[in-house]
Amino acid sequence: MTDTLTSYLTSEVEIKYAILPADTLYNLPEQVEILGVYITTISKAGSPRKVDIIGSLGESALMALEDEVIESLNV
């Protein structure tokens, strides 16, 4: 018999982002756009490879990463 458990992990990721310029027409400040979220895994051959996991993240996770980028820029 096989059982399945859903859990959460905390892993180090590399975030690729761009700073979008302020939009004076719509009175919007500069914004952060997340372009990629990469996790390093080990292939079956034993070599490291980066995998983009942005497609598997929900909107709230992406917003949290945007906030983290903003905080790191304001330091």
Side-chain angles (χ1 to χ4, degrees):
M1 181 173 142
T2 302
D3 292 326
T4 303
L5 171 70
T6 301
S7 185
Y8 297 92
L9 296 174
T10 301
S11 297
E12 185 174 312
V13 295
E14 179 181 318
I15 303 167
K16 184 176 179 182
Y17 64 92
I19 304 296
L20 303 177
D23 186 340
T24 55
L25 180 63
Y26 295 104
N27 201 24
L28 295 173
E30 287 182 334
Q31 296 183 27
V32 173
E33 180 180 7
I34 303 293
L35 304 174
V37 180
Y38 300 92
I39 189 166
T40 301
T41 63
I42 305 299
S43 70
K44 290 182 181 181
S47 59
R49 59 180 251 214
K50 288 185 181 179
V51 179
D52 189 359
I53 61 168
I54 194 169
S56 64
L57 298 176
E59 186 66 27
S60 62
L62 289 173
M63 290 176 66
L65 290 175
E66 289 171 354
D67 291 343
E68 189 173 337
V69 169
I70 291 167
E71 287 176 19
S72 72
L73 296 173
N74 290 332
V75 173

